[in-house]
Amino acid sequence: MIQRSFLFAFLALLVASLGVASPASAARIKDMGQFQGMRSNQLTGYGIVVGLAGTGDDSLDYSTLGMKGAVSRFGLTLPPGVNPALKNAAAVMITAELPAFAKPGQRLDVTVSAIGKAKSLRGGTLVLAPLYGADGQIYAMAQGNLVIGGLGVDAADGSKLTVNVPSSGRIANGATIERAVDTGFAYGDRLIFNLHQFDATNAKRVTDAINGALGPGAASMVDGASISIRAGGSGDDRMRLISLVENLDVVRAEPPARVIVNARTGTVVINGAVRVGTAAVTQGKLTVSIKESPAVVQPAPFSRGQTAVEPSSDIRASEEYRPAFLMKPTASLAELVDAINRMGVPPGDLVAILEALSQAGALTAELVII
């Protein structure tokens, strides 16, 4: 009952917020997309974390080979067949994001995660390791002391206590950029702005806003997701143009009507563009209960009988009556939620009602089940 009340309160708050705001809302162009080439690039690498208090990998070949490679840089070669005990070291994967226009010498935050059976990386230090891009080139070098947000403790009797994830951590400013990525920003006479989502109406409105600020013909639509903008001059001129375009306000088009259903959690999200046609909906609840009450039967005295168990079952079925309600033509989200609240429909049954409305053709929305 508490969860149902919370759901209805959330839906009522959502409807109230939609009722205050108008369907069309202004947004900055920079919040609707980004310029082509101005994106981050993923970096990955492999490394060794040392200095662990006996919580590292003790039998992982990757960490053994990695440690042999690390010590070989300093002229130390382990004899063949010698497998060092590496409880104080762990093999890790390193990930980072290289932002657009990053230059050599700048710093990056890196995330370090254990590969093998290392219990905790707390107190560890990452040995110098290269970070590679998708093209196989080295773009940064990582090294430093890890900050771990988790904790793992083992007791002598085998009991364990784990808080968060102690096998993963971060190094703030733990990587130094060695190579810049060419974004192609300074080349060509056009800049391409890509919307986050395909929408021909939004593309037209963005194009009109840019032409209104820069003059007719300054921007043109490539398709429903990309706008080509005339550009030229030096990098300073281009950045001033980007700053001007990003801060222009555009009235967003109303999004497509969608009902999003999470089948695993029962979460339902309905946007304000959803409309419902004429439909009669009823929802019942059938409950079947079976009660077993076995009785022990004793034999008569001196009858040489045996004690027996006599089964006794009581089966009852009850169906809760809920009257049908009529959805008005082109009912809004507020009217739909009010009708659902009057019925007291739980989230699981709400999903079934929405699916039935969609099958009946009365739900003017795309039903998306995730």
Side-chain angles (χ1 to χ4, degrees):
M1 181 62 67
I2 295 177
Q3 293 180 350
R4 182 183 302 176
S5 301
F6 177 77
L7 173 66
F8 294 161
F10 172 75
L11 289 175
L13 180 60
L14 177 63
V15 172
S17 63
L18 289 173
V20 173
S22 59
S25 58
R28 296 177 303 175
I29 290 181
K30 70 187 303 181
D31 299 324
M32 301 175 64
Q34 64 181 15
F35 282 89
Q36 184 171 297
M38 298 175 59
R39 64 178 184 87
S40 60
N41 293 272
Q42 288 72 36
L43 304 180
T44 57
Y46 168 84
I48 297 294
V49 172
V50 298
L52 305 178
T55 58
D57 300 320
D58 55 354
S59 61
L60 187 63
D61 291 339
Y62 288 119
S63 59
T64 302
L65 293 175
M67 183 56 67
K68 289 181 179 180
V71 299
S72 66
R73 302 175 191 171
F74 307 103
L76 176 63
T77 302
L78 296 178
V82 175
N83 187 13
L86 296 177
K87 290 288 288 184
N88 292 344
V92 295
M93 290 299 296
I94 312 164
T95 58
E97 283 200 1
L98 183 66
F101 305 112
K103 299 299 187 293
Q106 293 181 332
R107 310 285 292 185
L108 297 175
D109 295 342
V110 298
T111 300
V112 180
S113 303
I115 297 177
K117 296 182 178 180
K119 299 178 181 179
S120 175
L121 299 181
R122 180 176 291 273
T125 300
L126 176 67
V127 179
L128 185 65
L131 299 181
Y132 297 88
D135 57 358
Q137 301 294 323
I138 297 176
Y139 284 89
M141 299 296 293
Q143 180 173 283
N145 299 323
L146 275 72
V147 175
I148 307 298
L151 174 66
V153 179
D154 295 347
D157 61 354
S159 58
K160 300 180 180 180
L161 174 63
T162 302
V163 180
N164 296 331
V165 183
S167 58
S168 179
R170 289 180 62 84
I171 306 177
N173 296 324
T176 303
I177 299 174
E178 303 293 338
R179 182 195 299 264
V181 176
D182 185 6
T183 61
F185 171 77
Y187 310 117
D189 58 351
R190 310 290 291 186
L191 293 174
I192 302 298
F193 182 81
N194 297 319
L195 297 176
H196 291 315
Q197 295 180 338
F198 170 85
D199 193 303
T201 304
N202 281 332
K204 178 183 179 300
R205 293 182 179 182
V206 169
T207 303
D208 293 343
I210 297 174
N211 287 332
L214 302 179
S220 60
M221 288 187 292
V222 178
D223 50 39
S226 300
I227 296 96
S228 177
I229 305 172
R230 186 175 59 224
S234 63
D236 180 76
D237 296 332
R238 287 173 176 252
M239 290 308 301
R240 290 179 182 276
L241 174 63
I242 289 177
S243 175
L244 174 63
V245 169
E246 285 185 338
N247 289 282
L248 294 176
D249 289 334
V250 173
V251 178
R252 284 178 177 266
E254 188 174 1
R258 285 194 179 96
V259 177
I260 312 297
V261 177
N262 190 321
R264 296 180 296 274
T265 63
T267 303
V268 180
V269 178
I270 308 172
N271 70 4
V274 174
R275 296 293 182 270
V276 180
T278 302
V281 181
T282 183
Q283 184 261 351
K285 183 178 181 182
L286 177 65
T287 302
V288 179
S289 61
I290 302 176
K291 182 180 180 181
E292 298 287 349
S293 302
V296 179
V297 179
Q298 298 289 348
F302 307 105
S303 63
R304 297 184 180 181
Q306 296 181 350
T307 301
V309 177
E310 180 180 355
S312 176
S313 301
D314 181 16
I315 302 179
R316 297 182 180 182
S318 61
E319 185 173 6
E320 182 179 349
Y321 171 73
R322 291 179 180 177
F325 65 93
L326 179 66
M327 299 301 301
K328 300 178 182 179
T330 64
S332 65
L333 174 61
E335 294 170 334
L336 175 60
V337 174
D338 287 341
I340 292 172
N341 288 346
R342 289 197 302 270
M343 289 187 64
V345 179
D349 294 341
L350 174 59
V351 174
I353 291 176
L354 293 173
E355 289 179 342
L357 286 172
S358 178
Q359 291 294 324
L363 184 67
T364 57
E366 179 186 4
L367 185 61
V368 181
I369 300 178
I370 61 176

Coordinates of all heavy atoms in Angstrom, one line a residue, residues 231-297:
A231 N 31.6 28.5 -42.2 CA 32.6 28.9 -41.3 C 33.9 29.2 -42.1 O 34.1 28.7 -43.2 CB 32.9 27.9 -40.2
G232 N 34.8 30.0 -41.5 CA 36.0 30.3 -42.2 C 36.9 31.1 -41.2 O 36.5 31.4 -40.1
G233 N 38.0 31.5 -41.7 CA 38.9 32.3 -40.9 C 39.8 31.5 -40.0 O 40.0 30.3 -40.2
S234 N 40.3 32.1 -39.0 CA 41.2 31.5 -38.0 C 40.5 30.7 -37.0 O 39.2 30.7 -36.9 CB 42.1 32.6 -37.4 OG 41.3 33.4 -36.6
G235 N 41.2 30.1 -36.1 CA 40.6 29.3 -35.0 C 39.8 30.2 -34.1 O 38.8 29.8 -33.5
D236 N 40.3 31.5 -33.9 CA 39.6 32.4 -33.0 C 38.2 32.7 -33.6 O 37.3 32.8 -32.9 CB 40.4 33.7 -32.9 CG 39.8 34.7 -32.0 OD1 39.8 34.5 -30.8 OD2 39.2 35.7 -32.6
D237 N 38.2 32.9 -34.9 CA 36.9 33.2 -35.6 C 35.9 32.1 -35.4 O 34.7 32.2 -35.2 CB 37.1 33.6 -37.0 CG 37.9 34.9 -37.2 OD1 37.8 35.7 -36.3 OD2 38.6 35.0 -38.2
R238 N 36.4 30.8 -35.6 CA 35.6 29.7 -35.5 C 35.1 29.5 -34.1 O 33.9 29.1 -33.9 CB 36.4 28.4 -36.0 CG 36.6 28.4 -37.5 CD 37.5 27.2 -37.8 NE 37.6 27.2 -39.3 CZ 37.1 26.2 -40.1 NH1 36.4 25.3 -39.5 NH2 37.2 26.2 -41.4
M239 N 35.9 29.7 -33.1 CA 35.4 29.5 -31.7 C 34.4 30.6 -31.3 O 33.5 30.3 -30.6 CB 36.6 29.5 -30.8 CG 37.6 28.3 -30.9 SD 36.7 26.7 -30.7 CE 35.9 26.9 -29.1
R240 N 34.6 31.8 -31.8 CA 33.6 32.8 -31.6 C 32.3 32.4 -32.2 O 31.2 32.7 -31.7 CB 34.1 34.2 -32.1 CG 35.2 34.7 -31.2 CD 35.7 36.1 -31.8 NE 36.9 36.6 -31.0 CZ 36.8 37.3 -29.9 NH1 35.5 37.5 -29.4 NH2 37.8 37.7 -29.3
L241 N 32.3 31.9 -33.4 CA 31.1 31.4 -34.1 C 30.4 30.3 -33.3 O 29.2 30.3 -33.1 CB 31.5 30.9 -35.5 CG 30.3 30.3 -36.3 CD1 29.2 31.3 -36.6 CD2 30.9 29.7 -37.6
I242 N 31.2 29.3 -32.8 CA 30.6 28.2 -32.1 C 30.0 28.8 -30.8 O 28.9 28.4 -30.4 CB 31.7 27.2 -31.7 CG1 32.1 26.4 -33.0 CG2 31.2 26.2 -30.7 CD1 33.2 25.5 -32.8
S243 N 30.7 29.7 -30.1 CA 30.1 30.3 -28.9 C 28.8 31.0 -29.2 O 27.8 30.9 -28.4 CB 31.1 31.2 -28.3 OG 30.6 31.9 -27.1
L244 N 28.7 31.7 -30.3 CA 27.5 32.4 -30.6 C 26.4 31.4 -30.9 O 25.2 31.6 -30.4 CB 27.8 33.3 -31.8 CG 26.5 34.0 -32.4 CD1 25.9 35.0 -31.4 CD2 26.9 34.8 -33.7
V245 N 26.7 30.4 -31.7 CA 25.6 29.4 -32.1 C 25.1 28.7 -30.9 O 23.9 28.4 -30.7 CB 26.2 28.5 -33.2 CG1 25.2 27.3 -33.4 CG2 26.4 29.2 -34.5
E246 N 26.0 28.2 -30.0 CA 25.7 27.4 -28.9 C 24.7 28.1 -27.9 O 23.9 27.5 -27.3 CB 26.9 27.0 -28.1 CG 27.7 25.9 -28.8 CD 28.9 25.4 -27.9 OE1 29.3 26.2 -27.0 OE2 29.3 24.3 -28.1
N247 N 24.8 29.4 -27.8 CA 24.0 30.2 -26.9 C 22.7 30.7 -27.5 O 22.0 31.5 -26.8 CB 24.8 31.3 -26.2 CG 25.9 30.7 -25.3 OD1 25.6 30.4 -24.1 ND2 27.1 30.7 -25.8
L248 N 22.4 30.4 -28.7 CA 21.1 30.8 -29.3 C 20.0 29.9 -28.7 O 20.2 28.7 -28.4 CB 21.1 30.6 -30.8 CG 22.1 31.5 -31.6 CD1 22.1 31.1 -33.0 CD2 21.7 33.0 -31.4
D249 N 18.8 30.5 -28.4 CA 17.7 29.8 -27.9 C 16.8 29.4 -29.0 O 16.5 30.1 -30.0 CB 16.9 30.7 -26.9 CG 17.6 31.0 -25.6 OD1 18.4 30.2 -25.2 OD2 17.4 32.1 -25.0
V250 N 16.3 28.1 -28.8 CA 15.4 27.5 -29.8 C 14.2 26.9 -29.1 O 14.4 26.3 -28.0 CB 16.1 26.4 -30.6 CG1 15.1 25.7 -31.5 CG2 17.2 27.1 -31.5
V251 N 13.0 27.1 -29.6 CA 11.8 26.5 -29.0 C 11.8 25.0 -29.5 O 11.6 24.8 -30.7 CB 10.5 27.2 -29.4 CG1 9.3 26.5 -28.8 CG2 10.6 28.7 -28.9
R252 N 11.9 24.1 -28.5 CA 12.0 22.7 -28.9 C 10.6 22.2 -29.4 O 9.6 22.7 -29.0 CB 12.3 21.8 -27.7 CG 13.8 21.8 -27.3 CD 13.9 21.0 -26.0 NE 15.3 20.9 -25.6 CZ 16.1 19.9 -25.9 NH1 15.7 18.9 -26.7 NH2 17.4 19.8 -25.5
A253 N 10.6 21.3 -30.4 CA 9.4 20.7 -30.8 C 8.9 19.7 -29.8 O 9.7 19.1 -29.0 CB 9.7 20.0 -32.2
E254 N 7.6 19.5 -29.8 CA 7.1 18.5 -28.8 C 7.6 17.1 -29.2 O 7.6 16.7 -30.3 CB 5.6 18.5 -28.9 CG 4.9 17.7 -27.8 CD 3.4 17.9 -27.8 OE1 2.9 18.6 -28.7 OE2 2.7 17.3 -26.9
P255 N 8.1 16.4 -28.2 CA 8.7 15.1 -28.5 C 7.6 14.1 -29.0 O 6.5 14.3 -28.7 CB 9.3 14.6 -27.2 CG 8.5 15.3 -26.1 CD 8.1 16.7 -26.8
P256 N 8.0 13.0 -29.6 CA 7.1 12.0 -30.0 C 6.4 11.3 -28.8 O 7.1 11.2 -27.7 CB 7.9 10.9 -30.8 CG 9.2 11.7 -31.2 CD 9.4 12.7 -30.1
A257 N 5.2 11.0 -28.9 CA 4.5 10.4 -27.8 C 5.0 9.0 -27.5 O 5.0 8.1 -28.4 CB 3.0 10.3 -28.1
R258 N 5.5 8.8 -26.3 CA 6.1 7.5 -25.9 C 5.6 7.1 -24.5 O 5.5 8.0 -23.6 CB 7.6 7.5 -26.0 CG 8.2 7.5 -27.4 CD 9.6 7.2 -27.4 NE 10.2 7.1 -28.7 CZ 10.8 8.1 -29.3 NH1 11.0 9.3 -28.7 NH2 11.3 8.0 -30.5
V259 N 5.4 5.8 -24.3 CA 5.2 5.2 -23.0 C 6.4 4.2 -22.8 O 6.5 3.2 -23.6 CB 3.9 4.5 -22.9 CG1 3.8 3.8 -21.6 CG2 2.7 5.5 -23.1
I260 N 7.2 4.5 -21.8 CA 8.4 3.6 -21.6 C 8.1 2.7 -20.4 O 7.7 3.2 -19.3 CB 9.6 4.5 -21.2 CG1 9.8 5.6 -22.3 CG2 10.9 3.6 -21.2 CD1 10.0 5.1 -23.7
V261 N 8.2 1.4 -20.6 CA 7.9 0.4 -19.6 C 9.1 -0.4 -19.3 O 9.7 -1.0 -20.2 CB 6.7 -0.5 -20.0 CG1 6.5 -1.6 -19.0 CG2 5.5 0.3 -20.3
N262 N 9.6 -0.4 -18.0 CA 10.6 -1.3 -17.6 C 10.0 -2.6 -17.1 O 9.5 -2.6 -16.0 CB 11.5 -0.6 -16.5 CG 12.8 -1.4 -16.3 OD1 12.8 -2.6 -16.2 ND2 13.9 -0.7 -16.1
A263 N 10.1 -3.6 -17.9 CA 9.4 -4.9 -17.6 C 10.1 -5.6 -16.3 O 9.4 -6.4 -15.7 CB 9.5 -5.9 -18.7
R264 N 11.3 -5.2 -16.0 CA 11.9 -5.9 -14.8 C 11.5 -5.2 -13.5 O 11.4 -5.9 -12.5 CB 13.5 -5.8 -15.0 CG 14.0 -6.6 -16.2 CD 15.5 -6.5 -16.3 NE 15.9 -5.1 -16.6 CZ 16.0 -4.6 -17.8 NH1 15.6 -5.3 -18.8 NH2 16.4 -3.3 -18.0
T265 N 11.4 -3.9 -13.5 CA 11.1 -3.2 -12.3 C 9.6 -2.8 -12.2 O 9.2 -2.3 -11.1 CB 12.0 -2.0 -12.1 OG1 11.8 -1.1 -13.2 CG2 13.5 -2.4 -12.1
G266 N 8.9 -2.8 -13.3 CA 7.5 -2.3 -13.3 C 7.4 -0.8 -13.4 O 6.3 -0.2 -13.2
T267 N 8.5 -0.1 -13.7 CA 8.5 1.3 -13.8 C 7.9 1.8 -15.1 O 8.2 1.2 -16.2 CB 9.9 1.9 -13.7 OG1 10.5 1.5 -12.5 CG2 9.9 3.4 -13.8
V268 N 7.0 2.7 -15.0 CA 6.3 3.2 -16.2 C 6.5 4.8 -16.3 O 6.2 5.5 -15.3 CB 4.8 2.9 -16.2 CG1 4.1 3.4 -17.4 CG2 4.5 1.4 -16.1
V269 N 6.9 5.3 -17.4 CA 7.1 6.7 -17.6 C 6.3 7.1 -18.9 O 6.4 6.5 -19.9 CB 8.6 7.1 -17.9 CG1 8.7 8.5 -18.1 CG2 9.4 6.7 -16.6
I270 N 5.4 8.1 -18.7 CA 4.5 8.5 -19.8 C 4.8 10.0 -20.0 O 4.7 10.8 -19.1 CB 3.0 8.3 -19.4 CG1 2.8 6.9 -18.9 CG2 2.1 8.7 -20.5 CD1 1.4 6.7 -18.3
N271 N 5.2 10.4 -21.3 CA 5.5 11.8 -21.5 C 4.2 12.5 -21.8 O 3.1 11.9 -22.1 CB 6.5 11.9 -22.6 CG 6.0 11.6 -24.0 OD1 4.9 11.2 -24.2 ND2 6.9 11.6 -25.0
G272 N 4.3 13.9 -21.9 CA 3.1 14.7 -22.0 C 2.4 14.7 -23.3 O 1.3 15.2 -23.5
A273 N 3.1 14.1 -24.4 CA 2.5 14.0 -25.7 C 1.5 12.9 -25.9 O 0.9 12.8 -26.9 CB 3.5 14.0 -26.7
V274 N 1.4 12.0 -24.9 CA 0.6 10.8 -25.0 C -0.9 11.2 -24.9 O -1.3 12.0 -24.1 CB 0.9 9.8 -23.9 CG1 -0.1 8.6 -23.9 CG2 2.3 9.3 -24.0
R275 N -1.7 10.6 -25.9 CA -3.1 10.8 -25.9 C -3.8 9.5 -26.0 O -3.3 8.5 -26.5 CB -3.6 11.7 -27.1 CG -3.0 13.1 -27.0 CD -3.6 13.9 -25.9 NE -3.1 15.3 -25.9 CZ -2.0 15.7 -25.2 NH1 -1.3 14.8 -24.5 NH2 -1.7 17.0 -25.3
V276 N -5.0 9.4 -25.4 CA -5.8 8.2 -25.4 C -7.1 8.4 -26.1 O -7.8 9.4 -25.7 CB -6.0 7.6 -24.0 CG1 -6.8 6.4 -24.0 CG2 -4.7 7.4 -23.3
G277 N -7.5 7.6 -27.0 CA -8.8 7.7 -27.6 C -9.9 7.1 -26.8 O -9.7 6.6 -25.6
T278 N -11.1 7.0 -27.4 CA -12.3 6.5 -26.6 C -12.0 5.0 -26.3 O -11.8 4.2 -27.3 CB -13.5 6.6 -27.4 OG1 -13.7 8.0 -27.7 CG2 -14.7 6.1 -26.7
A279 N -12.1 4.6 -25.1 CA -12.0 3.2 -24.7 C -12.6 3.0 -23.3 O -12.5 3.8 -22.5 CB -10.5 2.8 -24.7
A280 N -13.2 1.8 -23.2 CA -13.7 1.4 -21.9 C -12.7 0.4 -21.3 O -12.3 -0.6 -21.9 CB -15.1 0.7 -22.0
V281 N -12.3 0.6 -20.0 CA -11.3 -0.2 -19.4 C -11.9 -0.7 -18.0 O -12.4 0.0 -17.3 CB -10.0 0.6 -19.1 CG1 -9.0 -0.3 -18.5 CG2 -9.5 1.1 -20.4
T282 N -11.7 -2.0 -17.8 CA -12.0 -2.6 -16.5 C -10.9 -3.5 -16.1 O -10.2 -4.1 -17.0 CB -13.3 -3.4 -16.6 OG1 -13.6 -3.9 -15.3 CG2 -13.2 -4.6 -17.5
Q283 N -10.7 -3.6 -14.8 CA -9.6 -4.4 -14.3 C -10.0 -5.1 -13.1 O -10.5 -4.5 -12.1 CB -8.4 -3.5 -14.0 CG -7.1 -4.2 -13.6 CD -6.9 -4.2 -12.1 OE1 -7.6 -3.5 -11.4 NE2 -5.9 -5.0 -11.6
G284 N -9.9 -6.4 -13.0 CA -10.3 -7.2 -11.9 C -9.2 -7.9 -11.2 O -8.1 -8.0 -11.7
K285 N -9.5 -8.4 -10.0 CA -8.4 -9.1 -9.3 C -9.0 -10.4 -8.7 O -10.0 -10.4 -7.9 CB -7.9 -8.2 -8.1 CG -6.8 -8.9 -7.3 CD -6.3 -7.9 -6.2 CE -5.2 -8.5 -5.4 NZ -4.7 -7.6 -4.4
L286 N -8.5 -11.5 -9.2 CA -9.0 -12.8 -8.7 C -8.0 -13.4 -7.7 O -6.8 -13.5 -8.0 CB -9.1 -13.8 -9.9 CG -9.5 -15.2 -9.6 CD1 -11.0 -15.3 -9.0 CD2 -9.5 -16.1 -10.9
T287 N -8.5 -13.8 -6.6 CA -7.7 -14.4 -5.5 C -8.1 -15.8 -5.2 O -9.3 -16.0 -4.9 CB -7.7 -13.5 -4.3 OG1 -7.3 -12.2 -4.6 CG2 -6.8 -14.1 -3.2
V288 N -7.2 -16.8 -5.3 CA -7.5 -18.1 -4.9 C -6.7 -18.5 -3.7 O -5.5 -18.4 -3.7 CB -7.3 -19.1 -6.1 CG1 -7.6 -20.5 -5.7 CG2 -8.1 -18.7 -7.3
S289 N -7.4 -19.0 -2.6 CA -6.7 -19.4 -1.4 C -7.0 -20.8 -1.1 O -8.1 -21.3 -1.2 CB -7.0 -18.5 -0.2 OG -8.4 -18.6 0.0
I290 N -5.9 -21.6 -0.7 CA -6.1 -23.0 -0.4 C -5.5 -23.1 1.0 O -4.4 -22.8 1.3 CB -5.3 -23.9 -1.3 CG1 -5.8 -23.7 -2.8 CG2 -5.4 -25.4 -0.9 CD1 -5.1 -24.5 -3.8
K291 N -6.4 -23.6 1.9 CA -6.0 -23.8 3.3 C -6.0 -25.3 3.7 O -7.1 -25.9 3.5 CB -6.9 -23.0 4.3 CG -6.6 -23.1 5.7 CD -7.5 -22.3 6.6 CE -7.1 -22.4 8.1 NZ -8.1 -21.7 8.9
E292 N -4.9 -25.8 4.1 CA -4.8 -27.2 4.5 C -4.9 -27.4 6.0 O -4.1 -26.7 6.7 CB -3.5 -27.8 4.0 CG -3.3 -27.8 2.5 CD -4.2 -28.9 1.8 OE1 -4.8 -29.7 2.5 OE2 -4.4 -28.8 0.5
S293 N -5.9 -28.2 6.5 CA -6.1 -28.4 7.9 C -6.2 -29.9 8.2 O -7.3 -30.4 8.5 CB -7.3 -27.7 8.4 OG -7.2 -26.3 8.2
P294 N -5.1 -30.6 8.1 CA -5.1 -32.1 8.3 C -5.5 -32.4 9.8 O -5.1 -31.7 10.7 CB -3.7 -32.5 8.0 CG -2.9 -31.3 8.2 CD -3.7 -30.1 7.9
A295 N -6.3 -33.4 10.0 CA -6.8 -33.9 11.3 C -6.2 -35.2 11.6 O -6.1 -36.1 10.8 CB -8.3 -33.9 11.4
V296 N -5.8 -35.4 12.9 CA -5.2 -36.7 13.3 C -6.3 -37.5 13.9 O -7.1 -37.1 14.8 CB -4.1 -36.5 14.4 CG1 -3.6 -37.8 14.9 CG2 -3.0 -35.6 13.8
V297 N -6.5 -38.7 13.4 CA -7.6 -39.7 13.8 C -7.0 -40.8 14.6 O -6.1 -41.5 14.1 CB -8.3 -40.2 12.6 CG1 -9.4 -41.2 13.0 CG2 -8.9 -39.1 11.7

